[in-house]
């Protein structure tokens, strides 16, 4: 967990938070939510797309090696 969140939660367990601390805590939580990983199906789709591009690059390299020049 983010250190700002941990410190703020630790402080909240001892006393009421000041408005600035609450704002900082909510901003940290929002930042974590925005940095979440995309869904697994989207990652799988993107990996397959990149694998296809890599295969295309490999094919072009082989063709260049055979012919001695790029397309």
């Amino acid at each position: 967990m983010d250190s700002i969140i941990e410190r703020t939660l630790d402080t909240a367990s001892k006393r009421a938070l000041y408005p600035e601390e609450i704002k900082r805590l909510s901003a940290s939580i929002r930042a974590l939510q925005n940095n979440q990983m995309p869904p697994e199906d989207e990652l799988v789709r993107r990996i397959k797309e990149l694998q296809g591009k890599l295969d295309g690059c490999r094919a072009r390299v082989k063709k260049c090696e055979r012919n001695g020049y790029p397309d």
Side-chain angles (χ1 to χ4, degrees):
M1 191 182 310
D2 188 74
S3 63
I4 291 173
I5 295 172
E6 288 177 359
R7 284 190 311 239
T8 306
L9 291 176
D10 184 55
T11 302
S13 70
K14 298 173 186 163
R15 63 167 173 80
L17 295 176
Y18 295 115
E20 305 85 39
E21 292 171 318
I22 295 171
K23 287 179 186 176
R24 189 178 333 123
L25 177 62
S26 60
S28 295
I29 292 171
R30 273 194 305 279
L32 285 175
Q33 289 172 336
N34 289 336
N35 291 329
Q36 287 181 344
M37 291 286 290
E40 185 177 346
D41 60 332
E42 185 177 329
L43 290 173
V44 169
R45 181 191 55 77
R46 182 69 177 136
I47 288 170
K48 287 181 180 181
E49 179 183 310
L50 291 171
Q51 285 174 333
K53 288 182 180 182
L54 180 60
D55 291 341
C57 290
R58 286 180 179 149
R60 283 193 297 280
V61 167
K62 283 183 182 180
K63 185 176 180 182
C64 289
E65 288 173 345
R66 280 192 310 257
N67 297 336
Y69 56 88
D71 293 345

